[in-house]
Amino acid sequence: MEDDEACITSLSLGLGIMGGHAPKKENKQKVPCLDLSFELCPKGEEEEEEAIDVDQQQHGDKAKGLLCLKHPNDETSPDSNNSNNGSRKKLKLTKEQSATLEDIFKLHSSLNPAQKQALAEQLNLKHRQVEVWFQNRRARTKLKQTEVDCEFLKKCCEKLTDENLRLKKELQELRAQKIGSTPLYIQLSKATTLTICSSCEKLLKPNEGNKGAINKLQNSIELGGI
DNA sequence: GTCGTTTTCTGTGTTACTTCA
DNA sequence: CTTGAAGTAACACAGAAAACG
């Protein structure tokens, strides 16, 4: 299947026509429908040479032995990278390749096979490499979002704990006061931040709806409650 | 239309490699 | 020079969904 798609050449790229992640049905289409709506870097020999040069510059002497000297887009088996002694060879993407992938990811976090193939050709990468890159990128995004969510919930939790502590203290203070000297409802009317829990009664904003609550309390006191 | 099988794609977890402090 | 942490490419596997007979 990949081979079929690899034959699709001279495709113009355009993003956005299909409006996001194409339905899976279209993945199976043999029609070369590409919706990458922006020009990727111009394709040609110059680019190939440049990519290799940048790669070599980036890696320096250290990476000499690790660089895949074969063209990355060379159609070999997916396992060709770790064919030597079972060790996995890792190709560092060039800045240009990474930037292009990032740009596209910002627009669409998933690509259909034709898009992947076209992008792979543009970047001189294998279809599989583009696929893996998007997989990993999605995973990283999700991980970061989880961290952000976790941090947010942590702060919420701290806030609620503080609020709970404050309310407990307030309750303790109120209980400590002599109920006999002043009617409780008057004391309560002075408790500016008193709110009524939604499970007990309607939620009342501080200073705003205490009347109702106070009336209710007063009634219950008069009826022999508290 | 339903069912079982196959194919394809994606998410998740892990490993191996690179870079940098 | 060595080492550990962080980042990430590559991989394996499981599950979901679509395709097919």
Side-chain angles (χ1 to χ4, degrees):
Chain A
M1 184 179 155
E2 276 186 20
D3 289 337
D4 290 343
E5 285 166 5
C7 296
I8 301 166
T9 55
S10 68
L11 296 165
S12 66
L13 302 174
L15 258 183
I17 296 169
M18 286 153 84
H21 190 187
K24 287 195 170 180
K25 263 191 176 178
E26 296 188 48
N27 289 355
K28 312 288 180 186
Q29 281 183 340
K30 299 296 177 190
V31 181
C33 172
L34 288 190
D35 50 339
L36 296 162
S37 72
F38 51 87
E39 279 287 326
L40 299 175
C41 49
K43 203 178 169 186
E45 290 178 5
E46 276 184 24
E47 188 208 350
E48 276 183 35
E49 286 169 12
E50 190 185 334
I52 292 168
D53 286 343
V54 172
D55 222 17
Q56 286 172 342
Q57 279 170 9
Q58 279 183 342
H59 287 79
D61 295 337
K62 242 185 172 180
K64 268 180 187 169
L66 296 157
L67 261 178
C68 184
L69 296 178
K70 269 187 171 181
H71 192 284
N73 206 22
D74 196 0
E75 279 306 327
T76 52
S77 74
D79 294 331
S80 63
N81 275 350
N82 51 344
S83 55
N84 315 354
N85 348 327
S87 68
R88 193 186 294 176
K89 287 199 175 177
K90 186 174 164 178
L91 173 74
K92 171 90 175 165
L93 300 177
T94 66
K95 285 179 184 177
E96 208 173 37
Q97 287 169 328
S98 296
T100 305
L101 288 164
E102 282 290 343
D103 285 344
I104 293 175
F105 183 82
K106 279 177 194 167
L107 296 167
H108 297 283
S109 59
S110 293
L111 300 180
N112 65 35
Q115 288 174 316
K116 283 177 199 165
Q117 185 59 45
L119 186 55
E121 285 174 11
Q122 285 290 332
L123 297 176
N124 288 314
L125 295 171
K126 290 179 195 167
H127 176 275
R128 174 68 183 154
Q129 282 179 298
V130 173
E131 195 170 62
V132 166
W133 189 90
F134 272 83
Q135 279 172 13
N136 287 321
R137 190 64 182 75
R138 283 192 294 271
R140 283 198 292 276
T141 301
K142 191 173 182 183
L143 186 66
K144 275 198 173 176
Q145 188 55 49
T146 303
E147 283 172 5
V148 168
D149 290 348
C150 189
E151 201 57 37
F152 175 74
L153 289 173
K154 216 169 141 187
K155 280 181 181 171
C156 281
C157 185
E158 284 171 7
K159 221 176 170 182
L160 287 170
T161 304
D162 288 348
E163 179 71 357
N164 190 28
L165 204 70
R166 190 186 67 73
L167 289 170
K168 273 182 181 172
K169 274 185 182 175
E170 195 175 313
L171 183 64
Q172 250 183 352
E173 281 171 18
L174 287 171
R175 278 180 175 159
Q177 286 179 14
K178 291 177 185 175
I179 297 175
S181 60
T182 320
L184 179 60
Y185 63 87
I186 293 176
Q187 291 173 28
L188 288 173
S189 69
K190 288 176 183 172
T192 56
T193 58
L194 180 71
T195 56
I196 302 299
C197 169
S198 61
S199 62
C200 312
E201 192 56 60
K202 278 196 290 185
L203 180 65
L204 300 169
K205 285 183 183 173
N207 301 328
E208 187 177 294
N210 282 358
K211 249 187 191 172
I214 291 165
N215 286 340
K216 193 176 172 68
L217 276 167
Q218 197 174 358
N219 288 339
S220 60
I221 290 166
E222 283 167 0
L223 289 169
I226 303 188

